[in-house]
């Protein structure tokens, strides 16, 4: 009604100047409503919101592209354990969910509330699947020490002496003796766990501490280890020697880095789909003994991690908000009266899909 | 709803119509145009768009496969994928977001936002994109280099640690 109030003066002016509304000209005010844009308020506001979202994601994507092409080195997707097939599957999931929300809207428009609810439920499930896959991908990054920032991130840019000293520091940390009774008790349980996991799990211990594992690993008889673990233990011992000597060349640190987490070469990744695979075996020490959590070298990896987690994180937050909206809507009766609301939620959801359409090739395939 | 005239011009404000009526007409009209077009768009059209989107996703995924002929020229793949992505985006915007069937207000909202988005990205180039053209010696020391990648890849091919200990 604000519009009618503001048009009062206009109506008056019109009447006074040419007075051609003869039939109700007895001091009546003729109201003229001039709608700004020919669409409902909800939809107008949704589109205004989406235009701010366009700029928001344009800034994020633009920064990513500009950072990526301005960087001296940028990691290949397989250097940072990105799986293209998983990304493509997630794209497919999101496209499917876009279709289902459109079908929910169509069903609601013809007043088929039950059908609309089913489609919306399917959309909710597909969105949940997307987030689940995303969470799985995140955990794969975390397990390789790829985090967006310093305390947890184990990414080093170059295989230089700083990297060498970080590896040495970590190994020393692992070698430290149990300090107090609590640590000693944990050590005891660790040994118990190794001999009989069932016995240890009875006492609530799931996995022994890394400190004790390293000690144990050195003392373990060869027969107790698999061939791969035996090989990894030998490498670990050689690396310990290598990083302890103070005058190491940069090339040797590249050898260390390669043993900790190999950087697959371009040729190896070209063989479709394998994802991993350097010149030698595909596994590094961090794969054979994940509890070692040794620092790794990924040239350009820090900037990559920052942009990857920021972009996919903001996108995931948008997905989560969409799912919340759908969950609320599922409690409604989705008939023709609600079609406008479903349309607005759908517009938002398509926008989230749209962002992923650009994120997928930029992050996974470039 | 047929007496409302052409839909593409939006609602016609009638002289002497009350504000409530006009608002009612305006909303009805914008909704009415949907229903009419959904009639000859409909679920079949959505399915067609869905298939096109799946096909396009497969096409961009194709650049990752070994069969992609321009492996040594990544720029070809980038251009191809951006073209595919823009096509997909247009399909989603035009059909799923119903923009194809909307009145001219769509330009008022989308074009300024799109222009702002493009300018925003361009403005990042000098400060962010070119930040590594001139760097201090200290920074260059700690910065990753292309040669590091070659170093790591060579280490992975001829690693002394890869030999068994007995040799």
């Amino acid at each position: 009604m604000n519009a009618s109030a503001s048009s009062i003066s206009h109506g008056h002016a019109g009447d006074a100047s040419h007075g051609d509304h003869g039939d109700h000209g007895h001091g009546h005010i003729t109201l003229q409503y001039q709608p700004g844009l020919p669409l409902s308020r909800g939809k107008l506001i949704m589109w205004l919101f989406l235009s701010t979202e366009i700029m928001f994601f344009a800034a994020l994507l633009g920064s990513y592209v500009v950072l990526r092409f301005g960087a001296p080195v940028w990691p290949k997707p397989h250097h940072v354990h990105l799986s293209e097939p998983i990304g493509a599957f997630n794209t497919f999931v999101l496209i499917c969910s876009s279709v289902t929300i459109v079908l929910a809207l169509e069903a609601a428009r013809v007043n088929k509330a039950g059908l609309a609810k089913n489609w919306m439920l399917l959309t909710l499930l597909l969105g949940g699947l997307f987030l689940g896959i995303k969470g799985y991908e995140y955990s794969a990054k975390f397990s390789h020490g790829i985090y967006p920032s310093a305390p947890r991130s184990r990414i080093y840019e170059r295989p230089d002496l700083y990297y060498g000293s970080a590896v040495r520091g970590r190994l020393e940390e692992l070698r430290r003796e149990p300090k107090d009774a609590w640590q000693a008790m944990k050590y005891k349980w660790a040994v118990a766990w190794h001999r009989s996991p069932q016995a240890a799990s009875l006492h609530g211990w799931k996995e022994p501490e890394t400190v004790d594992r390293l000690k144990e690993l050195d003392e373990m008889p060869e027969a107790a280890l698999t061939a791969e673990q035996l090989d990894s233990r030998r490498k670990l011992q050689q690396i310990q020697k290598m990083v302890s000597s103070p005058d190491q060349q940069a090339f040797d640190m590249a050898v260390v880095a390669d043993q900790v987490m190999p950087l697959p070469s371009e040729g190896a990744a070209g063989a479709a789909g394998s994802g991993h695979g350097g010149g030698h075996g595909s596994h590094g020490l961090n794969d054979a003994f994940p509890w070692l959590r040794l620092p790794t070298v990924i040239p350009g990896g820090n900037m990559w991690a920052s942009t990857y987690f920021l972009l996919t994180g903001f996108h995931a937050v948008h997905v989560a908000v969409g799912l919340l909206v759908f969950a609320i809507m599922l409690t409604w009766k989705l008939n023709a009266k609600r079609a406008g609301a479903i349309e607005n939620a759908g517009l938002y959801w398509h926008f989230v899909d749209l962002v992923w359409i650009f994120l997928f090739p930029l992050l996974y395939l470039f | 709803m047929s007496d409302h005239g052409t839909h593409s011009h939006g609602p016609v404000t009638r002289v002497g119509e009350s504000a409530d009526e006009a608002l009612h007409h305006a909303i009805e009209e914008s909704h009415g145009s949907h229903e009419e077009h959904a009639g000859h768009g409909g679920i079949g059209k959505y399915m067609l768009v869905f298939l096109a989107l799946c096909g396009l996703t497969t096409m961009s995924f194709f650049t990752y496969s070994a069969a992609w002929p321009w492996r040594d020229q990544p720029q070809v793949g980038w251009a191809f994928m951006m073209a595919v992505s823009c096509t997909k985006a247009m399909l989603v915007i035009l059909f799923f977001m119903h923009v194809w069937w909307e009145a001219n207000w769509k330009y008022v909202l989308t074009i300024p936002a799109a222009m702002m988005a493009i300018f925003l990205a361009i403005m990042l180039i000098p400060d962010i994109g070119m930040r590594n053209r001139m760097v201090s010696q200290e920074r260059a020391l700690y910065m990753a280099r292309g040669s590091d990648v070659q170093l790591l890849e060579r280490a992975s091919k001829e690693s002394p640690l890869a030999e068994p200990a007995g040799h």
Side-chain angles (χ1 to χ4, degrees), chain A residues 151-198:
Chain A
R152 283 171 176 277
S153 170
R154 303 199 302 272
I155 302 171
Y156 278 73
E157 292 284 321
R158 313 194 58 205
D160 54 9
L161 286 172
Y162 299 97
Y163 173 68
S165 80
V167 174
R168 187 168 65 232
R170 175 65 188 150
L171 287 172
E172 272 161 16
E173 197 181 303
L174 285 164
R175 291 208 143 271
R176 231 179 283 139
E177 288 296 309
K179 274 183 192 134
D180 48 21
W182 174 241
Q183 287 278 6
M185 197 183 82
K186 282 207 278 195
Y187 176 71
K188 252 167 93 180
W189 279 116
V191 175
W193 180 85
H194 192 80
R195 301 237 167 87
S196 157
Q198 292 85 0

Side-chain angles (χ1 to χ4, degrees), chain A residues 137-154:
Chain A
E137 285 192 290
Y138 271 26
S139 73
K141 307 283 163 296
F142 295 158
S143 72
H144 286 97
I146 300 171
Y147 281 90
S149 68
R152 283 171 176 277
S153 170
R154 303 199 302 272

Side-chain angles (χ1 to χ4, degrees), chain A residues 222-235 288-289, chain B residues 164:
Chain A
E222 287 196 9
L225 294 166
T226 65
E228 195 204 346
Q229 284 176 328
L230 202 62
D231 187 46
S232 294
R233 183 172 78 173
R234 185 180 51 76
K235 284 176 184 166
F289 307 123

Side-chain angles (χ1 to χ4, degrees), chain A residues 197-231:
Chain A
Q198 292 85 0
S201 69
L202 271 178
H203 294 86
W205 283 95
K206 287 208 175 84
E207 202 179 337
E209 289 298 297
T210 52
V211 181
D212 313 320
R213 289 286 287 273
L214 190 67
K215 230 174 125 75
E216 220 179 292
L217 187 72
D218 281 343
E219 291 159 5
M220 211 175 283
E222 287 196 9
L225 294 166
T226 65
E228 195 204 346
Q229 284 176 328
L230 202 62
D231 187 46

Side-chain angles (χ1 to χ4, degrees), chain A residues 60-77 266 300 303-304 307 311 361-366, chain B residues 74-75 78 81 128-132:
Chain A
L60 284 177
L61 284 168
S63 314
Y64 169 77
V65 169
V66 163
L67 281 169
R68 188 220 182 290
F69 287 100
V73 197
W74 197 259
K76 297 267 184 303
E266 187 64 63
M303 187 59 89
W304 179 85
T307 53
L311 284 170
L362 282 172
L363 291 174
Y364 288 77
L365 301 170
F366 260 47
Chain B
Q75 291 85 352
W78 297 338
M81 279 184 287
I128 310 291
M130 298 179 174
R131 76 195 187 288
N132 286 322

Side-chain angles (χ1 to χ4, degrees), chain A residues 1 21 31 33 38 43 58 66-67 69-70 72-73 84 99 102 106 157-158 162 234 258-259 279-280 343 361 365, chain B residues 11 13 15 17 20 30 34 46 50 64 78 81 85 102 117 129 132 141-145 148 156 159 163 165:
Chain A
M1 287 308 103
H21 304 294
L31 298 175
Y33 181 78
K43 199 167 153 186
V66 163
L67 281 169
F69 287 100
V73 197
E84 284 92 344
V99 176
V102 151
E106 291 300 314
E157 292 284 321
R158 313 194 58 205
Y162 299 97
R234 185 180 51 76
D258 180 63
Q259 298 303 321
H280 52 83
E343 187 182 9
L365 301 170
Chain B
T13 315
V15 177
E17 192 177 47
D20 270 352
S30 67
H34 276 311
Y46 292 137
F50 170 68
Y64 163 73
W78 297 338
M81 279 184 287
S85 287
E102 298 289 4
N132 286 322
L141 197 66
Y142 300 116
M143 211 159 78
R145 296 169 202 166
D148 288 334
S156 116
S159 170
E163 311 289 320

